[in-house]
Amino acid sequence: MAQDHLSDALKKLKLASADSATDSVESCLDCLLKALAHNNADASEKVQEMGVLPLLPTLLAPQSSCTPKVANIIAEVAKNEFMRSPCVEAGLIPPLVQLLHSKDQEVLLQTGRALGNICYDSQSSKEQFASTNIAEELVRLFRKQAEHEKKEMIFEVLAPLAENDVIKLQLVEAGLVECLLDVVTHTVDGERDEDVAQLKTASDLMVLLLLGDESMQKLFEAGKGSVFERVLSWVPSHNHQLQLAGALAIANFARNDGNCIHMVESGIVQKLLELLDRHVEEGNVTVQHAALSALRNLAIPVVNKAKMLSAGVSDTVLKFLPSEMPPVQFKLLGTLRMLIDTQADAADQLGTNAKLVERLVEWCEAKDHAGVMGESNRLLSALIRHSKSKDVVKTVIQGAGVKHLVVMATSEHMIMQNEALVALGLIAGLDLVEAEKDFVGAGLVQVLHKLLSDERTAPEIKYNSMILICAVMGSEPLHKEVQGLAFIDVVSKLRSHENKTVSHQASLTEQRLTAQS
């Protein structure tokens, strides 16, 4: 259809809406819908150019016969990202929200589409929605609906809106959670496709509400909340979708120490371990990932670590070592790293587990998965740092892990560099004879020279590098390498370093190098 034909229709629409001549408005709207069906983006641009959007609020009057068509037009136009802010600016949101009271099914359907499309992926429109009573309206409407299609339509508007933290809280206060829990109860044993779909949508939305700090804390209610209790009961469910939502919900509740401590006391760890055990063989990867995420978060507070270790968390987690799924590998590593932090016995036990160390060394080479690679390096270092055990060091040397820690010392993340240097220092202190060959092969001395010469290296990295230089001087080949690289020049420069710890260590290191030259 020709563009000028559309322009005429839009001009007519402007005139007709001014003197509210319904018949001519209807035919202009039909023409516009046709144009949108033919080429949505072009027609939408034209609507924007000719300033048609600001006319639409008056045409959205509840009793007007063209309301469903106008709402349909808004829904079509708002499929384009560039039209979403203009729809908000034209004041379309309040009249659309009011239309949610309508008894007319066609009006409700088109209004739902329009609201859903306007707030899809758009920050500004979500902020606008936060200042209307849309949360209450939608929850009220949801309660009245019996039909699957209508519920789905409301869900489609709720999901993008619930990404906004202010609206999350409004939805919680309006009682959406009770509605969602009802949907779950009614659909969990359903066989029909629509039951399955509704169960997924409701449980996903529940997890989304828990992503907001305030809404999450409100629903936690110090661990006594009925919502918290109900969601926990999803974990042992026979339904994968509910198991997943339950585990994700726990991971979200576990975002602060107080909640984590309370949940571990309430015996949630056992439920998660049983869930993981059910998924070792019939592995549902998303459930594995969610349950491991929950355990990782719960292991953050120091008081929880020993409790979780004695509940057998590390044994269950190790059952997933053979997994070939990077997201599962990543969470498995993070969980073990959290668990052994400050726990010497556990670090000793895991660090002498040759199978684990062998797998970590494999993952240290996972170039395609930076996350897995970083986490396995960090766990390797943590096993040594927290156990300070000669047996662990031996296991890491035999498993060919030393070279990875040397590479880790050159990481762009300072925290990882530091963890690597401290672990290497312990290796040198506990078993230099065995590690000597690997240190030479991995170019440790060259790496340390580079770290000490580079002005950009952080003070604590310089400090730990000098400690390490002193630690390797007891080895003949490494001592030779240190002499060959003129370390004394680099170190004596650091004696005037602004950081007192660094300058003091530089003096000590210089004395050591001079004494042994």
Side-chain angles (χ1 to χ4, degrees), residues 228 232 250 263-273 298:
F228 172 64
L232 287 198
I250 294 171
M263 287 196 281
V264 167
E265 280 168 0
S266 74
I268 221 156
V269 171
Q270 220 31 61
K271 287 194 166 114
L272 289 167
L273 295 182
L298 290 171

Side-chain angles (χ1 to χ4, degrees), residues 10 38 69 99 127 133 223 247 252-253 257 259 312 323-324 350 370 430 458-459 473:
L10 293 174
H38 175 67
K69 276 182 189 159
L99 287 176
E127 276 150 30
N133 58 345
N252 285 330
F253 279 128
D257 282 6
N259 292 7
S323 170
E324 290 303 330
L350 288 168
L430 290 165
M473 290 291 281

Side-chain angles (χ1 to χ4, degrees), residues 380-401:
L380 205 51
S381 151
L383 292 167
I384 295 170
R385 288 181 299 112
H386 295 298
S387 69
K388 300 187 174 54
S389 136
K390 185 164 182 171
D391 290 336
V392 172
V393 167
K394 239 188 186 53
T395 312
V396 171
I397 294 172
Q398 282 164 356

Side-chain angles (χ1 to χ4, degrees), residues 154-395:
I154 302 169
F155 272 147
E156 275 164 29
V157 184
L158 283 171
L161 279 175
E163 283 168 16
N164 175 294
D165 281 358
V166 179
I167 300 178
K168 280 189 182 77
L169 197 57
Q170 291 173 353
L171 289 168
V172 167
E173 283 168 350
L176 176 61
V177 171
E178 289 71 18
C179 301
L180 296 176
L181 290 170
D182 283 348
V183 172
V184 168
T185 310
H186 287 120
T187 55
V188 65
D189 296 316
E191 299 289 321
R192 297 173 310 176
D193 286 352
E194 62 188 57
D195 288 334
V196 176
Q198 257 186 15
L199 178 70
K200 178 168 167 42
T201 312
S203 52
D204 284 349
L205 193 48
M206 185 77 203
V207 171
L208 184 58
L209 292 176
L210 293 174
L211 283 174
D213 286 336
E214 281 183 84
S215 47
M216 179 273 287
Q217 213 46 48
K218 193 178 169 66
L219 293 171
F220 189 69
E221 292 177 59
K224 296 179 185 57
S226 58
V227 175
F228 172 64
E229 294 295 324
R230 289 276 291 278
V231 172
L232 287 198
S233 72
W234 293 357
V235 176
S237 150
H238 55 271
N239 181 299
H240 281 185
Q241 173 59 33
L242 273 196
Q243 295 168 0
L244 172 65
L248 286 173
I250 294 171
N252 285 330
F253 279 128
R255 284 212 305 277
N256 61 53
D257 282 6
N259 292 7
C260 287
I261 292 167
H262 181 89
M263 287 196 281
V264 167
E265 280 168 0
S266 74
I268 221 156
V269 171
Q270 220 31 61
K271 287 194 166 114
L272 289 167
L273 295 182
E274 283 160 16
L275 177 61
L276 278 171
D277 271 328
R278 290 155 67 183
H279 284 280
V280 175
E281 297 310 320
E282 43 151 345
N284 179 313
V285 175
T286 37
V287 175
Q288 292 172 1
H289 181 258
L292 289 168
S293 299
L295 287 172
R296 180 195 176 281
N297 290 0
L298 290 171
I300 291 172
V302 172
V303 292
N304 283 356
K305 296 180 197 293
K307 288 182 179 167
M308 290 175 70
L309 285 163
S310 58
V313 173
S314 57
D315 300 339
T316 301
V317 170
L318 287 173
K319 292 178 186 169
F320 294 91
L321 262 190
S323 170
E324 290 303 330
M325 304 310 267
V328 174
Q329 297 168 350
F330 181 73
K331 286 295 177 190
L332 171 152
L333 292 163
T335 307
L336 292 176
R337 192 164 63 80
M338 286 304 158
L339 278 173
I340 62 165
D341 196 11
T342 70
Q343 306 295 307
D345 291 348
D348 200 327
Q349 203 189 341
L350 288 168
T352 50
N353 176 335
K355 264 223 159 62
L356 170 62
V357 171
E358 190 184 313
R359 193 71 164 130
L360 292 183
V361 170
E362 255 176 66
W363 285 338
C364 286
E365 290 161 4
K367 299 277 187 289
D368 310 340
H369 301 288
V372 173
M373 198 162 110
E375 275 293 330
S376 42
N377 273 304
R378 292 189 74 184
L379 181 53
L380 205 51
S381 151
L383 292 167
I384 295 170
R385 288 181 299 112
H386 295 298
S387 69
K388 300 187 174 54
S389 136
K390 185 164 182 171
D391 290 336
V392 172
V393 167
K394 239 188 186 53
T395 312

